[in-house]
Amino acid sequence: MKQVHNATEQPTRGLAQDADDCLFDPRIRTVLSEFTLGSDTLTLEAAAAIRAASHSVERLRSRGAQGRGLSSGALDILIRLGATTGEALSIGDLARSADVSSRNVTGLVDTLEREGLAERVPDPHDRRSVLTRITPAGRGWLDTFREPVQRAMAGVFQGFTPADLTQLRHLCLRVVENQQRLEHYLAQTEDVLR
């Protein structure tokens, strides 16, 4: 097996190429082969590769955000607030769009508010509700963060063609779609068994 090298010609830790010149992690393959008692490991290796790729992107994104004082979760909420045109959003709307709990978003908004990057404002249509919007300082923060993160992501996806990126996006979202379908099926099955 030949070792694979990244764009800077430093060895990529532990990866190899198979007979079809496709990357794989021999350590993961060995562990999964033992786990499956010698059965096919391809789907489990694919799941492990998705997890590893996700962690790699998240580590890079997190590193840039934490260098600026924000967790990746807070950054995600700030980006969502920044995508609005001055419109304030409810915690529930933010939670649904980020696919996390309202409780989680409340804590993230608390952090953004402490940093002066977001603010809570009264809901003009419901005096019992509070909305969240980005502040001018939050927009400025995003402006300074935008270019470095775009350069970093360009580095992570160096050598990928637009077709590669489109296919990668499509395949990852198919995994998400299948997972959602499976969860729906399992929830229905559990309901029937109760």
Side-chain angles (χ1 to χ4, degrees):
M1 290 186 279
K2 60 183 176 181
Q3 287 294 87
V4 177
H5 298 281
N6 66 19
T8 61
E9 295 302 316
Q10 295 177 0
T12 304
R13 190 172 49 194
L15 299 182
Q17 288 180 311
D18 64 17
D20 296 321
D21 283 335
C22 291
L23 292 173
F24 75 99
D25 186 328
R27 296 165 303 159
I28 296 293
R29 182 170 286 173
T30 299
V31 168
L32 292 176
S33 184
E34 290 172 16
F35 172 73
T36 63
L37 302 176
S39 296
D40 184 36
T41 61
L42 187 56
T43 56
L44 295 175
E45 284 185 66
I50 289 171
R51 188 174 55 253
S54 173
H55 287 177
S56 292
V57 169
E58 194 57 34
R59 271 193 302 277
L60 188 60
R61 189 176 129 173
S62 223
R63 182 177 178 188
Q66 287 174 347
R68 292 172 169 79
L70 288 185
S71 70
S72 64
L75 173 61
D76 187 45
I77 295 301
L78 186 62
I79 289 171
R80 289 170 193 284
L81 289 170
T84 66
T85 55
E87 172 187 338
L89 300 171
S90 72
I91 295 291
D93 288 340
L94 285 167
R96 279 185 292 283
S97 73
D99 198 24
V100 296
S101 71
S102 292
R103 174 184 245 175
N104 190 353
V105 171
T106 298
L108 296 171
V109 168
D110 289 344
T111 299
L112 293 172
E113 199 168 34
R114 272 193 308 278
E115 297 294 324
L117 305 176
E119 63 186 352
R120 288 182 169 94
V121 295
D123 184 338
H125 305 292
D126 181 354
R127 62 186 182 150
R128 298 168 296 156
S129 293
V130 176
L131 302 174
T132 305
R133 71 176 171 213
I134 193 168
T135 63
R139 287 205 184 279
W141 193 100
L142 284 177
D143 288 344
T144 62
F145 184 69
R146 185 175 293 113
E147 189 177 323
V149 82
Q150 287 174 316
R151 278 196 315 266
M153 288 304 123
V156 167
F157 293 104
Q158 182 177 356
F160 284 60
T161 66
D164 292 338
L165 292 171
T166 300
Q167 185 66 5
L168 177 62
R169 181 193 65 207
H170 171 73
L171 292 172
C172 288
L173 292 175
R174 278 184 57 195
V175 169
V176 170
E177 190 176 61
N178 286 348
Q179 178 269 331
Q180 290 171 344
R181 190 176 301 118
L182 181 59
E183 280 203 5
H184 178 72
Y185 169 78
L186 292 173
Q188 286 180 330
T189 304
E190 289 170 1
D191 287 344
V192 169
L193 296 176
R194 286 186 195 154

